[in-house]
PDB file of all heavy atoms in Angstrom:
ATOM      1  N   VAL Z  90     -26.291   5.922 -17.377  1.00  0.00           N
ATOM      2  CA  VAL Z  90     -26.561   4.607 -17.973  1.00  0.00           C
ATOM      3  C   VAL Z  90     -25.291   3.755 -17.963  1.00  0.00           C
ATOM      4  O   VAL Z  90     -25.300   2.591 -17.547  1.00  0.00           O
ATOM      5  CB  VAL Z  90     -27.087   4.752 -19.420  1.00  0.00           C
ATOM      6  CG1 VAL Z  90     -27.186   3.384 -20.094  1.00  0.00           C
ATOM      7  CG2 VAL Z  90     -28.445   5.435 -19.414  1.00  0.00           C
ATOM      8  N   SER Z 138     -34.488   9.666 -30.843  1.00  0.00           N
ATOM      9  CA  SER Z 138     -35.032  10.479 -29.746  1.00  0.00           C
ATOM     10  C   SER Z 138     -33.912  10.736 -28.756  1.00  0.00           C
ATOM     11  O   SER Z 138     -32.869  10.091 -28.811  1.00  0.00           O
ATOM     12  CB  SER Z 138     -36.178   9.745 -29.050  1.00  0.00           C
ATOM     13  OG  SER Z 138     -35.658   8.718 -28.230  1.00  0.00           O
ATOM     14  N   MET Z 161     -10.738  -3.197 -10.979  1.00  0.00           N
ATOM     15  CA  MET Z 161     -10.576  -2.541  -9.682  1.00  0.00           C
ATOM     16  C   MET Z 161     -11.245  -3.337  -8.566  1.00  0.00           C
ATOM     17  O   MET Z 161     -10.719  -3.424  -7.461  1.00  0.00           O
ATOM     18  CB  MET Z 161     -11.146  -1.127  -9.757  1.00  0.00           C
ATOM     19  CG  MET Z 161     -10.306  -0.254 -10.680  1.00  0.00           C
ATOM     20  SD  MET Z 161     -10.662   1.491 -10.549  1.00  0.00           S
ATOM     21  CE  MET Z 161     -12.302   1.539 -11.171  1.00  0.00           C
ATOM     22  N   SER Z 202     -16.063  11.440 -15.939  1.00  0.00           N
ATOM     23  CA  SER Z 202     -15.655  12.625 -16.678  1.00  0.00           C
ATOM     24  C   SER Z 202     -15.211  12.260 -18.093  1.00  0.00           C
ATOM     25  O   SER Z 202     -15.495  12.979 -19.050  1.00  0.00           O
ATOM     26  CB  SER Z 202     -14.547  13.366 -15.927  1.00  0.00           C
ATOM     27  OG  SER Z 202     -13.365  12.622 -15.954  1.00  0.00           O
ATOM     28  N   TRP Z 245     -19.334  30.768 -40.182  1.00  0.00           N
ATOM     29  CA  TRP Z 245     -19.556  30.890 -38.741  1.00  0.00           C
ATOM     30  C   TRP Z 245     -20.587  29.877 -38.226  1.00  0.00           C
ATOM     31  O   TRP Z 245     -20.563  29.489 -37.084  1.00  0.00           O
ATOM     32  CB  TRP Z 245     -19.982  32.318 -38.381  1.00  0.00           C
ATOM     33  CG  TRP Z 245     -21.237  32.779 -39.104  1.00  0.00           C
ATOM     34  CD1 TRP Z 245     -22.505  32.620 -38.685  1.00  0.00           C
ATOM     35  CD2 TRP Z 245     -21.299  33.454 -40.336  1.00  0.00           C
ATOM     36  NE1 TRP Z 245     -23.374  33.138 -39.582  1.00  0.00           N
ATOM     37  CE2 TRP Z 245     -22.670  33.667 -40.616  1.00  0.00           C
ATOM     38  CE3 TRP Z 245     -20.327  33.911 -41.259  1.00  0.00           C
ATOM     39  CZ2 TRP Z 245     -23.105  34.323 -41.777  1.00  0.00           C
ATOM     40  CZ3 TRP Z 245     -20.781  34.551 -42.394  1.00  0.00           C
ATOM     41  CH2 TRP Z 245     -22.151  34.757 -42.648  1.00  0.00           C
ATOM     42  N   VAL Z 283     -11.459   6.503 -22.516  1.00  0.00           N
ATOM     43  CA  VAL Z 283     -12.312   5.389 -22.930  1.00  0.00           C
ATOM     44  C   VAL Z 283     -11.886   4.887 -24.314  1.00  0.00           C
ATOM     45  O   VAL Z 283     -11.621   5.697 -25.180  1.00  0.00           O
ATOM     46  CB  VAL Z 283     -13.780   5.827 -22.978  1.00  0.00           C
ATOM     47  CG1 VAL Z 283     -14.646   4.661 -23.381  1.00  0.00           C
ATOM     48  CG2 VAL Z 283     -14.193   6.370 -21.644  1.00  0.00           C
TER      49      VAL Z 283
END
Side-chain angles (χ1 to χ4, degrees):
Chain Z
V90 172
S138 75
M161 292 193 294
S202 70
W245 58 89
V283 181

